[in-house]
Amino acid sequence: MGFTPAKINLFLLLKLPSAFLCGVRATEITPDFCKVSVKHRWINQNPFRSMYFAVQQMAAELSTGALVMACIKSSGKNVSMLVLHSKSSFLKKATGRITFICNEGASVKETIQLTIASGEAQSVWLKSVGTNSEGLVVSEMDFEWTVKLKA
């Protein structure tokens, strides 16, 4: 049973309903990248009529976290994951459909392989870039994920 956008979106509905209600949806995932989309709507706007920063962070985190979850699943090992730090830059007003892409699957795979081989916790910084429908970057998010073997 592989990771598909439909399965990720079902996970959102069941485990992260606030992200689902705000319109966060996975649209594409491969071992190398994950694409997540969210449309500016009434439910996810701030008082300035743009997308609330936390909604952007939910979408960006999902684009990185789904890669980590998929890689852990494909490893067949019992590995835990957790966000340790995050950094955000908001460069333009987020309106319309915003698409977040993380294309650092190779870094995730390398980190998880190192965790499994060494038995020690490892961390990796993953970047997700959000663009609007015109292709302009509206925000950039960095998440430090830690992974370790469960006992």
Side-chain angles (χ1 to χ4, degrees):
M1 182 166 82
F3 268 69
T4 65
K7 289 177 185 174
I8 294 168
N9 294 332
L10 179 61
F11 172 82
L12 281 180
L13 176 64
L14 299 174
K15 301 293 184 181
L16 297 167
S18 59
F20 189 85
L21 289 172
C22 286
V24 174
R25 300 291 186 274
T27 58
E28 193 173 348
I29 187 165
T30 71
D32 297 318
F33 82 99
C34 183
K35 184 188 295 187
V36 173
S37 177
V38 61
K39 186 175 181 181
H40 171 237
R41 303 181 315 186
W42 172 84
I43 191 118
N44 63 23
Q45 73 179 351
N46 62 28
F48 310 106
R49 292 188 287 192
S50 65
M51 192 177 300
Y52 187 56
F53 81 94
V55 175
Q56 293 181 64
Q57 284 198 301
M58 287 190 289
E61 182 185 0
L62 180 63
S63 72
T64 62
L67 283 176
V68 177
M69 291 186 329
C71 192
I72 288 171
K73 181 157 179 80
S74 70
S75 77
K77 299 292 184 184
N78 197 6
V79 178
S80 66
M81 58 188 275
L82 181 69
V83 171
L84 187 61
H85 295 105
S86 67
K87 297 184 282 186
S88 305
S89 298
F90 301 94
L91 308 168
K92 185 168 176 50
K93 194 171 184 174
T95 58
R97 181 162 301 280
I98 308 300
T99 302
F100 289 89
I101 296 177
C102 177
N103 58 9
E104 300 189 44
S107 297
V108 173
K109 185 176 181 180
E110 179 181 319
T111 302
I112 290 174
Q113 287 175 341
L114 185 56
T115 297
I116 293 167
S118 71
E120 306 230 348
Q122 303 293 324
S123 68
V124 61
W125 279 95
L126 301 175
K127 177 182 282 297
S128 182
V129 177
T131 57
N132 63 17
S133 57
E134 298 167 354
L136 300 173
V137 175
V138 297
S139 58
E140 295 178 347
M141 316 279 180
D142 296 285
F143 298 92
E144 183 181 14
W145 286 96
T146 61
V147 292
K148 71 176 187 175
L149 282 173
K150 291 184 183 177

